[in-house]
Amino acid sequence: MLSFEAFQQWYEGDETEDCLYDVAMDYWVGVEAMHLSTRQQLIQSSPPKLFLLEKSPTSEGMRAPATAIHGRTKVKKLEPSWAHTLRRKVDVVVGRPSSLSCKLLLSAAEFRPEPRRAKIFVSDVEKAPTPGLEHSRQALRTDENDMAFLIPAILSLRRDPRLLKLPPFLSLFCIFIGLAWLLVLPTDEYSRRTYISENALLPGQVHTYFGGSEHTVFRAYRHEVAALVEAPPTEVADKLGDIFNTHGLKVARQKYSYTSAGQTISGENVYAILEGPRADATEAMVLAAAWRNMDGVVNQSGVALVLTLARYFKRWSLWSKDIILLITTDSTAGPQAWVDAYYDAHDTSSIQSLPLKSGALQGGLFLDYPAGTNGHRYDKLLIHYDGVNGQLPNLDLFNTVTHIAANHLGVGVAIQQMSENSETYPSRLKTIMRGMFSQGLGHATGPHSSFMPYHVDAITLQTIGDGWHDEMSLGKVAESSIRSINNLLEHLHQSFFFYLLMEAQRFVSIGTYLPSAMLIAVNFAIMSISLWILSGRPREMPDPAKTAKPATKDEQGEGENVEVMKHDDMVAIVPAQVLATSERHLFAPVLFIGIVHFLGLVPLYLFNTLAEPSLITAFLTTAMVTLLLPPSLAYILHASNLLTPQGTTLISCFSLLLLSVILSTLSTLNFSLGLIVGLLASPLSFALPASKHPIYGRLYSRLLNLIAPTTVLLIGGLLWRGSGAGGWKGVQAFEGVKELLMKASFAWTVHGTWTAVVVWVVWWPAWITGAVVAGMGALEAKQERREEVQGDKSAAKS
């Protein structure tokens, strides 16, 4: 067995003839993995010590005399035959041409002019006890030695520069797979039909008695409500409170006031508590209607129906929970003020505390039926279920109401503002996309949305279309749904809280759709890891095709470019520069990332505190800063050398890593918001800190401007106004932007939505960082190109 000490003795010049054969075998396999220049320096530094062994038909097999290599000329002549010579030698060294390690060495023996930055360890070689090639193949290597060689060889690939070319393609692959994953969700193979998990609900198992004389009562209440349409809020609250009092219910009122974008939103809620004969005031249900719905229309028939049901429910003794009958001033601020005060999470300076309370809220049902005194027969029930910040009610509540309406009362059900939800792929995909967009915005879609943060499952039923169903059908749906909630022995928990609906009877669970968002987040992590590895490598690695030159006498004597390493029982000859690493200086990159993310608080604060007239000015200022700040920062940092190329790489690394961590976490809470932001920010993965062509950096910086947060907001404002009344003609995008900013400010002030935080504190800083990195890469490439041109001119003159 050739020991490491014997190898060192031979390498230092104290070798003996007995070990020349083994050393030559190990030496050639190890040297082949080096740079061309390093190989030449090794061979030229000790020419008498290297022998090439040719196969010989003599009785001594491979122990035939070899030809010594002397001088520089001999080496050059020998280079084209390295692959052929090594292939014959590997047959002997490995011993089994069919083994995996032999295949690896055979492929590695091919001569390539490009650099091979691999750390290939060579096992010690046993001498053949008897001559002959076949016997040597059986005696020289075992399967364990093959694996001992293969594992270090595979691990050495981590230093191969070609591996750093893979992450951009892997990142792009993850993005495409994430999108493809999302597109297959509407198919039957990846979705399933809805079902009810909570057996205690018993939907539709009871007979509904709402009808007959109750229809006359409803019409009378509808006329009384119609008379209050133009009345001030105080008079409306007085009248509604008197009606509840006539039914023997406990009545209370609540005043509230919010200030958003310089505007004051105030109102007065009225509610009554129907104490269940079998209840102990520990649990309650909510049946409510907003005085004005989400469209600002007076909800005449909805309010009248709640008053009618209050009178109707009072006569029943089957209630095991209290019923809270709530009439709010509007569909957004009113419900939020009431539920905040119910759970004592309100600001007492602007929101009045509730004088009456009941038990824990188990569920809520809101009615939106804005038909006037003449009534209106509707076709379907549009169910609103999206909550604040993308929260959703338990799927059992949605399935219960759908089952009662569609299967027992024959009332069609629609979702996501679509009058028709068919089973076709385009219809399913459109429904999912609309649901994801609504969930991603995180805004309130109805009065029920305010209850989601308190884990109160609630939905809103809105009548749409022209058909043959009237208020009695809606009353029966409400009665049967409230009675199902009344049957609950515990809070809804068995079904899904995270899902995507594509039809009223078909959904996709979180385990099926979440990988699409995670793949988008993983693409940032892949590029971050790649940039981290790149930042620790020397800036310039030698290219054998360019740096191959004769070694000087000093270099021949010293041999500073080579290191002999030992790993267990294996020996390696490794170029020193391949093992070199660069120390990472983290302070400046971390400081840059912290400052940029801190700057995101500025637009967040301005857009949530400024008055309406100042919003457009603030938006234009933010847009100008967004477009001008990255190139200015890139020029200043490059000209002043405040950031090295390694620092630029680390800035991009930390930014993408932070983006990956935040989006992967956000996707588990609000899948749609995480996916949308991830897709819009995905081009940042390819903002390279260094490029061979300056035009790439400049062009990519221009392309990044198209997906800047301010640009997306401007396009969103244009679409917002275009989708409203009046169409596209004569509508300015900035008016749409102002409306969006006002709604975002209201959602932040009243509902506490975090969409604005994600946009200005996560997405906007990441975009600024990516644009700065692209600009720095363009300037760096331009400088290198200028230096190359100057060097060529100097060489031509000399």
Side-chain angles (χ1 to χ4, degrees):
M1 179 69 71
L2 178 64
S3 64
F4 179 69
E5 290 74 13
F7 182 85
Q8 279 187 323
Q9 290 178 1
W10 172 84
Y11 185 72
E12 295 172 358
D14 297 331
E15 79 287 342
T16 61
E17 291 295 333
D18 294 336
C19 67
L20 284 178
Y21 165 73
D22 297 320
V23 170
M25 309 293 283
D26 287 354
Y27 187 85
W28 267 110
V29 175
V31 169
E32 202 283 328
M34 300 182 184
H35 299 288
L36 178 59
S37 60
T38 307
R39 289 198 298 258
Q40 290 178 346
Q41 293 175 11
L42 273 178
I43 295 171
Q44 294 164 11
S45 63
S46 53
K49 302 167 187 163
L50 182 62
F51 291 84
L52 296 178
L53 305 180
E54 303 289 345
K55 289 183 179 179
S56 173
T58 61
S59 59
E60 294 183 1
M62 292 299 297
R63 300 301 300 274
T67 303
I69 302 174
H70 294 277
R72 190 175 304 157
T73 305
K74 186 66 175 178
V75 175
K76 293 185 178 179
K77 291 182 180 180
L78 186 63
E79 289 175 2
S81 63
W82 279 3
H84 179 66
T85 305
L86 281 176
R87 186 173 288 112
R88 286 182 288 176
K89 297 215 173 349
V90 168
D91 289 343
V92 180
V93 174
V94 176
R96 293 177 178 81
S98 61
S99 66
L100 182 58
S101 58
C102 180
K103 295 179 182 179
L104 178 63
L105 284 175
L106 286 176
S107 62
E110 297 293 340
F111 176 77
R112 295 181 175 86
E114 68 269 21
R116 301 283 303 280
R117 301 185 183 94
K119 235 184 352 182
I120 297 186
F121 291 90
V122 184
S123 298
D124 297 339
V125 182
E126 295 184 15
K127 296 181 182 179
T130 58
L133 179 60
E134 295 299 329
H135 190 83
S136 298
R137 288 180 176 178
Q138 298 178 4
L140 289 177
R141 294 274 177 161
T142 61
D143 292 339
E144 294 180 357
N145 290 334
D146 290 344
M147 293 305 297
F149 177 85
L150 178 61
I151 294 176
I154 294 177
L155 292 177
S156 67
L157 294 177
R158 62 186 177 180
R159 290 189 174 272
D160 195 329
R162 289 170 296 185
L163 292 180
L164 292 179
K165 299 179 181 179
L166 294 178
F169 297 100
L170 291 177
S171 179
L172 189 63
F173 179 75
C174 288
I175 295 173
F176 283 141
I177 295 299
L179 288 175
W181 195 297
L182 187 65
L183 293 177
V184 301
L185 293 180
T187 60
D188 292 337
E189 291 76 10
Y190 290 88
S191 61
R192 45 182 167 169
R193 294 190 64 85
T194 56
Y195 58 93
I196 297 176
S197 302
E198 181 58 72
N199 295 326
L201 286 171
L202 300 174
Q205 299 300 311
V206 297
H207 181 73
T208 55
Y209 298 95
F210 186 78
S213 60
E214 304 300 331
H215 197 183
T216 305
V217 176
F218 167 80
R219 291 179 177 178
Y221 282 142
R222 186 166 59 185
H223 282 282
E224 292 191 34
V225 171
L228 299 173
V229 171
E230 302 297 334
T234 305
E235 184 179 346
V236 173
D238 293 339
K239 182 62 177 179
L240 296 178
D242 293 340
I243 295 177
F244 283 133
N245 276 323
T246 58
H247 301 324
L249 305 177
K250 295 181 179 180
V251 183
R253 296 160 67 168
Q254 178 206 27
K255 294 183 179 180
Y256 64 89
S257 176
Y258 291 101
T259 301
S260 173
Q263 298 181 352
T264 300
I265 302 98
S266 60
E268 188 173 9
N269 299 322
V270 181
Y271 67 100
I273 298 179
L274 190 161
E275 296 179 347
R278 302 181 181 182
D280 55 358
T282 58
E283 296 179 336
M285 305 171 287
V286 178
L287 177 63
W291 181 258
R292 292 187 181 271
N293 60 12
M294 293 295 293
D295 298 328
V297 181
V298 177
N299 187 18
Q300 298 185 31
S301 297
V303 174
L305 188 58
V306 170
L307 298 176
T308 306
L309 289 172
R311 177 180 178 274
Y312 174 74
F313 289 160
K314 180 64 177 177
R315 295 182 298 172
W316 289 86
S317 61
L318 52 85
W319 306 115
S320 60
K321 297 176 177 60
D322 293 346
I323 301 178
I324 300 177
L325 302 131
L326 173 65
I327 307 296
T328 61
T329 304
D330 58 11
S331 297
T332 53
Q336 188 66 50
W338 187 87
V339 72
D340 285 345
Y342 194 89
Y343 287 96
D344 295 326
H346 61 294
D347 182 5
T348 57
S349 62
S350 58
I351 301 174
Q352 183 181 354
S353 299
L354 298 182
L356 289 178
K357 290 184 181 181
S358 182
L361 302 181
Q362 300 298 303
L365 189 65
F366 289 79
L367 306 180
D368 184 3
Y369 186 24
T373 54
N374 296 326
H376 177 262
R377 293 184 176 270
Y378 58 91
D379 179 41
K380 294 181 177 181
L381 290 178
L382 179 63
I383 300 181
H384 300 275
Y385 56 90
D386 296 316
V388 176
N389 292 322
Q391 294 175 286
L392 301 173
N394 190 274
L395 190 58
D396 271 345
L397 178 62
F398 177 89
N399 293 338
T400 297
V401 177
T402 301
H403 183 80
I404 293 172
N407 297 342
H408 289 271
L409 298 175
V411 182
V413 175
I415 57 176
Q416 296 303 332
Q417 304 292 335
M418 296 179 63
S419 58
E420 186 69 29
N421 299 109
S422 62
E423 297 183 356
T424 61
Y425 178 83
S427 176
R428 289 179 174 180
L429 182 62
K430 183 179 179 181
T431 304
I432 287 182
M433 293 303 173
R434 292 177 70 97
M436 290 178 56
F437 181 75
S438 176
Q439 186 183 23
L441 290 178
H443 67 300
T445 59
H448 68 281
S449 300
S450 302
F451 287 71
M452 300 297 178
Y454 297 97
H455 198 50
V456 179
D457 304 304
I459 58 175
T460 297
L461 303 181
Q462 180 184 4
T463 59
I464 59 172
D466 297 325
W468 56 276
H469 301 290
D470 59 2
E471 52 274 1
M472 292 297 102
S473 298
L474 181 59
K476 291 181 179 180
V477 171
E479 177 193 358
S480 185
S481 300
I482 291 295
R483 292 183 66 175
S484 292
I485 299 175
N486 184 68
N487 293 335
L488 288 175
L489 301 177
E490 54 186 340
H491 200 87
L492 289 173
H493 66 281
Q494 292 193 15
S495 191
F496 296 93
F497 286 96
F498 300 94
Y499 51 87
L500 292 176
L501 287 171
M502 62 186 70
E503 300 176 38
Q505 291 84 22
R506 203 163 195 90
F507 76 105
V508 181
S509 64
I510 184 174
T512 305
Y513 66 72
L514 186 60
S516 60
M518 288 303 176
L519 285 171
I520 302 299
V522 163
N523 100 84
F524 299 111
I526 292 175
M527 291 304 300
S528 177
I529 295 173
S530 172
L531 293 172
W532 176 259
I533 296 175
L534 183 63
S535 66
R537 293 197 170 188
R539 183 179 177 186
E540 296 181 358
M541 294 295 293
D543 188 346
K546 297 180 180 179
T547 62
K549 61 181 181 180
T552 63
K553 294 182 179 181
D554 296 337
E555 292 172 345
Q556 293 177 5
E558 297 176 2
E560 296 177 353
N561 294 331
V562 180
E563 291 186 10
V564 179
M565 301 183 62
K566 180 181 178 182
H567 183 76
D568 295 334
D569 296 332
M570 294 172 287
V571 178
I573 303 175
V574 183
Q577 193 165 4
V578 173
L579 298 177
T581 58
S582 298
E583 181 182 0
R584 296 181 177 92
H585 302 279
L586 305 180
F587 178 75
V590 172
L591 181 63
F592 181 89
I593 294 296
I595 292 176
V596 172
H597 280 78
F598 179 78
L599 289 178
L601 297 175
V602 177
L604 177 66
Y605 173 79
L606 292 178
F607 292 135
N608 290 324
T609 56
L610 292 178
E612 178 185 358
S614 304
L615 288 178
I616 293 297
T617 303
F619 172 76
L620 292 176
T621 304
T622 304
M624 294 298 295
V625 171
T626 301
L627 297 179
L628 297 179
L629 183 61
S632 302
L633 281 178
Y635 179 80
I636 294 173
L637 295 175
H638 178 76
S640 59
N641 292 325
L642 293 177
L643 275 180
T644 61
Q646 183 198 66
T648 306
T649 304
L650 288 174
I651 284 175
S652 181
C653 169
F654 294 153
S655 178
L656 294 179
L657 179 62
L658 190 61
L659 195 61
S660 174
V661 172
I662 293 177
L663 292 183
S664 59
T665 305
L666 178 63
S667 298
T668 60
L669 302 176
N670 190 341
F671 163 79
S672 302
L673 181 58
L675 180 66
I676 293 173
V677 174
L679 289 175
L680 291 174
S682 57
L684 300 178
S685 298
F686 310 101
L688 302 179
S691 176
K692 296 181 179 179
H693 305 286
I695 191 174
Y696 174 84
R698 293 195 297 267
L699 180 60
Y700 206 81
S701 297
R702 304 297 185 273
L703 294 177
L704 287 179
N705 292 334
L706 299 178
I707 59 166
T710 50
T711 306
V712 174
L713 184 58
L714 183 63
I715 296 174
L718 188 63
L719 295 174
W720 180 274
R721 291 301 301 268
S723 62
W728 293 89
K729 296 182 180 180
V731 178
Q732 297 181 358
F734 292 111
E735 291 297 326
V737 170
K738 185 176 71 173
E739 293 182 12
L740 286 179
L741 292 176
M742 290 181 61
K743 290 185 176 296
S745 176
F746 179 83
W748 167 267
T749 303
V750 178
H751 300 295
T753 58
W754 58 50
T755 305
V757 178
V758 175
V759 171
W760 298 116
V761 184
V762 178
W763 179 22
W764 187 79
W767 186 92
I768 292 292
T769 304
V772 170
V773 169
M776 290 282 287
L779 294 175
E780 186 72 20
K782 185 178 180 180
Q783 180 179 352
E784 292 180 358
R785 183 65 61 86
R786 187 184 300 111
E787 292 176 355
E788 291 179 1
V789 172
Q790 292 177 355
D792 294 340
K793 290 182 179 180
S794 301
K797 291 180 181 180
S798 61

